[in-house]
Amino acid sequence: MPDSKMDETKKKKKKTAECCGYPISIFFIVVNEFCERFSYYGMRAVLVLYFRYFLLWDDDLATSIYHAFVALCYLTPILGAIIADSWLGKFKTIIYLSIVYAVGQVVMAVSTIHDITDANRDGTPDNFTLHIALSMLGLVLIALGTGGIKPCVAAFGGDQFQEHQSRQLNTFFSVFYLCINAGSLLSTLITPVLRAQECGIHTQQQCYPLAFGVPAALMVVSLVVFIAGSGMYTKTAPEGNIMGSVCKCIWFALNNRFRHRSDIYPKREHWMDWAEEKYDKLLIAQIKMVLKVLFLYIPLPMFWTLFDQKGSRWTLQATTMTGDFGGFVLQPDQMQTVNPILILTLVPIMDRIIFPLIKKCGLNFSPLKRMTVGMLFAATAFIAAALVQMEIDKTLPNFPSSSESQLKVVNMHSESLIVTVPSQEPLLIGSFESSPDYITFDQQDIRLAFNTTPEINKDLSLIKGSRQTLIIPSEPAEMYLKEDIKSKPKEGKNAVRFVNGWTAYLNITNLESSLQPSETSNYTLVSQGMRKFTLTDGIQSCEFSRKFGFGSSYTFLIPSDLFSTDCESIKEIEDMQPNSVHMALQIPQYFLITTGEVMFSVTGLQFSYSQAPKNMKSVLQAGWLCTNAVGNIIVLIVAELGKLPKQWAEYVLFASLLVAVSIIFSIMAYFYTYIDPAEIEAEILKQQETDPDKKKKKETLEMEEKENEQEIKQTKI
Ligand SMILES: CC(C)C[C@H](N)C(=O)N1CCC[C@H]1C(=O)O
């Protein structure tokens, strides 16, 4: 940096207003981060539902696009960092990319208004292509904005502190993290409630425009707050195309090293020193600092690979558990809010109690040690998840393997039946009852014999890996097979179906179509709690209520005396027991992973800032965020491809991998020497000032570069 520029920055730094030892400008930055994270996580909370139920995509497409979007959000930081450090500076980059971000959120919210294309006013959009195009455009703009500003905001916050405020600087990163989590917690609680409202101009539908509109509004607030603090910020000017210079310098060093590979040339301390012939010592030293840290980051994505499974695997695990806490009921996906809640409590506890205590005990708990311990905590969290999984497995039904088939028999006939089944004792099935449990067969083709007059022999071809029910209606010869669900219902819901033993067709609330006599309905999913079904044949009707838990499956047998008993004679067959392991058992694993996150992620933010040269602060923040992006991608690829047959074994495998990675990281960390980049930079500048030769050489190089740039510009013209 030219000396005059550096003096300018120093002068500006002296002027910053303080409150309790903190620069006042920090207030605007943390509020901005709170609103931005509210906007981002709020929108994310309803995104899959929007894909699934508004755009009517199937589960696979909805989750793939969702994960691709999340990965993109963590890949764009590098772009934002380059723009900030090489071209616009952090302040302008944050403003411009926040505008892109806010526009993206607005476009996204507009794409969810069904009325804009609902010409026939039937409540569904008529032009899906327009809605898809708008939402994809919105998401790309959001990914550019959120990812682009992320490394800049953290680094810009750090820039506000002066040398004597190093303690406050560390606290800033903790407060910054608290704001991230306060924003995300509030929005993930609020936006699903907004979505559940009904709104619309012509027809009332689920209110996606509100659920996406509020995050869009918060992004605008975030931008306004950031601009409001404009007069108070310390703004460090970018130093030209720094990333260009970095790449050229590295390229030159590699080439020069290769040209001088013979033993006759004296060795140099570091391969980057081979750039000394052409490049400034300061730039070379800065590149060395960045490369050292980036090298250290190589093993870190593994932490995020485990962390990100909290949102997928652990939520799936919760769907096989019960969330009834007596006074209130927790839904499986709500369990994820435990993470930000714990962050809000653990960050102050760590900062105020645990870390000072460790220091008092005379232990040097350096940032890299904290990060290693953080990884070990995450590994332990996965061991806890494996133990919980083993408990759950004990309560899960015995689902058929891919080579087995399972069969249940339901008797709707007016008399008891004796069914002879291959390699089994004959089964006595009472009228209006079912066989006690599923019978498992290794073979697909079986023959059943029934003691009816005349006797019926039925050849069945079962589906491998499936559960099926043989329904014997009032007319046994018309028996038929119906396929059952073979895994726990999604999202902790309950799967219910009805067999119509009434003599006429029936309409049942929640069922897609009316049920003909002797017909069995498809499954319908109902949430936990008291659920009411109204049954009507067009003339008579009755109501049937039942309280459901989580993850059960029932077949309800409708008798021929349905209306005379006012629905009370409906009989239930439990095909799958409700979940019995309590979601509270997941709290230890959430506690462990969040403790790990505080040690790993908050420290990582601080470390990336403190070890970066002044002109590459955003770049190193982006490098840090990239570890998250890579972790996300690993979840997408490895976790999906490499599924182990037992879920608990997969958890143990991931925990072991992270332990191995943390050992490698601790060895790498052992050889890392902490630096004070400002001190090194000042020293080199001082050396250069006192060394007339070097000063001259540097000036000549600077002039050469300027001439080169001008030449390029002229050739372009
Ligand atoms: C997943 C939670 C809502 C947020 C999480 N605790 C967190 O703060 N982060 C996860 C990735 C980094 C960080 C963030 O910046 O959002």
Side-chain angles (χ1 to χ4, degrees):
M1 191 198 265
D3 299 352
S4 56
K5 238 186 206 174
M6 189 135 120
D7 288 345
E8 224 177 85
T9 315
K10 273 186 187 162
K11 264 185 243 153
K12 269 186 204 158
K13 282 203 165 193
K14 269 178 208 151
K15 270 192 260 164
T16 54
E18 288 183 17
C19 172
C20 315
Y22 289 86
I24 294 190
S25 52
I26 283 305
F27 167 78
F28 296 92
I29 295 173
V30 294
V31 174
N32 159 274
E33 183 65 10
F34 170 86
C35 298
E36 188 277 320
R37 287 288 96 182
F38 183 109
S39 178
Y40 174 72
Y41 280 110
M43 182 271 309
R44 247 180 69 166
V46 283
L47 193 57
V48 176
L49 296 178
Y50 166 73
F51 289 155
R52 186 71 191 82
Y53 301 109
F54 186 98
L55 297 181
L56 305 179
W57 288 351
D58 63 28
D59 278 359
D60 287 344
L61 183 61
T63 41
S64 304
I65 301 288
Y66 171 82
H67 284 299
F69 165 71
V70 174
L72 189 63
C73 290
Y74 282 101
L75 281 175
T76 43
I78 197 74
L79 194 73
I82 292 173
I83 298 175
D85 283 349
S86 301
W87 179 27
L88 291 177
K90 298 179 196 91
F91 177 72
K92 282 189 187 159
T93 309
I94 295 172
I95 298 216
Y96 294 154
L97 287 180
S98 295
I99 294 173
V100 172
Y101 189 171
V103 170
Q105 288 281 33
V106 172
V107 172
M108 189 68 209
V110 170
S111 83
T112 67
I113 306 174
H114 67 271
D115 288 300
I116 56 173
T117 65
D118 187 11
N120 60 3
R121 301 184 181 187
D122 67 348
T124 46
D126 296 342
N127 183 353
F128 275 98
T129 319
L130 179 75
H131 289 276
I132 293 173
L134 278 178
S135 55
M136 292 304 109
L137 173 70
L139 288 182
V140 170
L141 294 179
I142 293 169
L144 262 178
T146 185
I149 62 172
K150 204 154 168 52
C152 306
V153 177
F156 190 63
D159 288 352
Q160 306 309 309
F161 292 83
Q162 297 178 25
E163 263 163 45
H164 68 277
Q165 293 171 313
S166 58
R167 190 182 56 80
Q168 284 88 344
L169 176 62
N170 280 344
T171 316
F172 160 71
F173 285 108
S174 301
V175 175
F176 189 74
Y177 216 78
L178 283 179
C179 287
I180 292 176
N181 285 275
S184 66
L185 175 63
L186 271 185
S187 66
T188 36
L189 292 176
I190 293 173
T191 44
V193 177
L194 298 179
R195 181 199 55 98
Q197 309 302 309
E198 294 213 325
C199 63
I201 304 167
H202 304 309
T203 52
Q204 297 288 301
Q205 299 295 327
Q206 292 226 337
C207 207
Y208 287 104
L210 193 60
F212 284 97
V214 170
L218 258 287
M219 194 50 222
V220 175
V221 174
S222 161
L223 179 60
V224 171
V225 170
F226 187 72
I227 295 174
S230 179
M232 291 179 215
Y233 299 133
T234 301
K235 300 169 194 161
T236 35
E239 295 172 24
N241 184 3
I242 184 74
M243 284 320 283
S245 311
V246 168
C247 295
K248 280 191 220 155
C249 182
I250 294 177
W251 183 244
F252 180 81
L254 288 171
N255 262 327
N256 203 24
R257 173 76 191 87
F258 187 71
R259 268 189 267 125
H260 299 92
R261 59 187 179 283
S262 157
D263 284 345
I264 55 166
Y265 299 108
K267 288 214 159 45
R268 298 189 187 180
E269 211 183 307
H270 192 283
W271 62 268
M272 269 309 299
D273 294 334
W274 286 95
E276 264 173 1
E277 275 88 336
K278 188 168 173 199
Y279 286 88
D280 193 7
K281 241 189 164 168
L282 180 62
L283 180 67
I284 297 174
Q286 289 169 328
I287 297 178
K288 281 188 201 167
M289 295 178 209
V290 171
L291 290 182
K292 253 172 73 179
V293 179
L294 288 182
F295 176 69
L296 205 57
Y297 284 174
I298 293 173
L300 302 189
M302 199 61 209
F303 173 87
W304 296 114
T305 301
L306 271 76
F307 183 84
D308 290 331
Q309 291 190 47
K310 183 173 63 51
S312 48
R313 292 269 186 276
W314 286 14
T315 306
L316 283 181
Q317 184 182 61
T319 63
T320 58
M321 305 172 88
T322 168
D324 193 345
F325 281 79
F328 69 100
V329 175
L330 203 64
Q331 297 303 324
D333 50 349
Q334 286 176 327
M335 206 51 206
Q336 285 185 54
T337 53
V338 172
N339 169 258
I341 292 173
L342 282 175
I343 288 277
L344 295 180
T345 43
L346 282 177
V347 168
I349 293 177
M350 292 280 187
D351 264 13
R352 301 274 153 195
I353 305 170
I354 310 289
F355 294 149
L357 259 180
I358 295 177
K359 203 172 171 190
K360 259 201 176 153
C361 296
L363 295 171
N364 171 22
F365 204 27
S366 65
L368 294 179
K369 281 188 193 156
R370 274 187 212 180
M371 287 167 75
T372 315
V373 175
M375 287 200 247
L376 293 175
F377 264 100
T380 333
F382 265 59
I383 297 294
L387 293 175
V388 170
Q389 191 60 48
M390 286 177 189
E391 273 312 297
I392 295 170
D393 286 352
K394 286 183 203 158
T395 67
L396 284 182
N398 171 27
F399 292 118
S401 68
S402 55
S403 60
E404 292 171 336
S405 334
Q406 291 185 333
L407 182 74
K408 195 173 219 180
V409 184
V410 166
N411 179 13
M412 299 291 285
H413 183 50
S414 52
E415 284 167 27
S416 298
L417 290 172
I418 296 176
V419 190
T420 314
V421 185
S423 21
Q424 297 266 334
E425 291 285 301
L427 288 172
L428 171 67
I429 308 176
S431 162
F432 211 51
E433 280 186 358
S434 86
S435 54
D437 202 354
Y438 285 92
I439 312 161
T440 305
F441 299 98
D442 288 330
Q443 72 273 38
Q444 250 181 302
D445 298 316
I446 56 166
R447 166 168 282 213
L448 302 185
F450 297 83
N451 69 329
T452 45
T453 33
E455 194 184 281
I456 301 175
N457 287 302
K458 181 82 178 168
D459 289 319
L460 296 175
S461 181
L462 302 175
I463 305 171
K464 274 192 179 175
S466 265
R467 289 185 141 188
Q468 286 167 284
T469 297
L470 180 68
I471 311 279
I472 303 161
S474 48
E475 203 49 68
E478 289 167 13
M479 66 180 80
Y480 60 92
L481 276 175
K482 187 87 185 163
E483 203 169 336
D484 303 355
I485 52 166
K486 55 178 179 192
S487 59
K488 282 272 175 186
K490 280 184 185 169
E491 297 161 17
K493 292 200 168 144
N494 303 281
V496 297
R497 63 180 178 181
F498 293 84
V499 187
N500 187 5
W502 175 240
T503 46
Y505 84 90
L506 276 177
N507 269 328
I508 305 175
T509 40
N510 294 326
L511 292 196
E512 284 162 12
S513 54
S514 57
L515 213 51
Q516 296 306 316
S518 300
E519 197 188 352
T520 303
S521 72
N522 289 330
Y523 284 105
T524 185
L525 291 180
V526 295
S527 306
Q528 172 278 342
M530 200 63 160
R531 299 286 153 234
K532 192 166 81 182
F533 301 90
T534 308
L535 293 83
T536 173
D537 64 356
I539 304 163
Q540 314 165 76
S541 69
C542 62
E543 272 178 4
F544 156 68
S545 303
R546 192 193 189 284
K547 195 171 178 204
F548 291 93
F550 289 86
S552 63
S553 167
Y554 293 95
T555 302
F556 292 112
L557 309 183
I558 301 169
S560 52
D561 57 355
L562 174 72
F563 295 114
S564 58
T565 59
D566 202 19
C567 273
E568 280 187 9
S569 49
I570 292 178
K571 178 139 192 192
E572 71 176 41
I573 309 287
E574 189 180 77
D575 296 330
M576 212 179 281
Q577 276 182 0
N579 304 340
S580 54
V581 177
H582 206 279
M583 274 184 216
L585 280 190
Q586 276 196 327
I587 290 175
Q589 69 204 55
Y590 271 97
F591 176 79
L592 289 166
I593 202 136
T594 312
T595 310
E597 183 190 352
V598 175
M599 294 198 172
F600 181 85
S601 189
V602 182
T603 316
L605 268 180
Q606 292 164 359
F607 178 79
S608 307
Y609 185 82
S610 72
Q611 299 300 291
K614 65 180 182 309
N615 52 356
M616 285 184 247
K617 296 273 185 206
S618 311
V619 168
L620 217 46
Q621 286 292 330
W624 166 252
L625 293 169
C626 265
T627 62
N628 201 330
V630 179
N632 246 292
I633 295 168
I634 299 177
V635 178
L636 269 177
I637 304 169
V638 184
E640 291 308 320
L641 292 182
K643 259 199 88 47
L644 292 182
K646 288 275 171 216
Q647 185 57 59
W648 65 262
E650 199 177 298
Y651 288 144
V652 174
L653 175 71
F654 275 112
S656 323
L657 283 175
L658 190 56
V659 171
V661 164
S662 41
I663 293 171
I664 296 172
F665 179 71
S666 64
I667 297 170
M668 290 164 81
Y670 178 77
F671 291 103
Y672 182 86
T673 347
Y674 294 91
I675 51 158
D676 180 350
E679 216 169 77
I680 297 176
E681 286 163 346
E683 189 124 311
I684 295 174
L685 278 173
K686 211 166 137 196
Q687 270 175 21
Q688 283 180 342
E689 267 163 34
T690 50
D691 183 344
D693 264 6
K694 293 260 164 78
K695 203 177 170 192
K696 203 145 192 217
K697 202 176 144 203
K698 191 184 138 201
E699 279 165 5
T700 325
L701 269 172
E702 272 173 8
M703 276 174 64
E704 267 175 22
E705 273 187 7
K706 268 189 194 149
E707 275 167 16
N708 275 347
E709 273 171 25
Q710 265 176 353
E711 256 174 46
I712 294 171
K713 269 185 201 161
Q714 273 171 354
T715 30
K716 270 187 189 161
I717 293 163

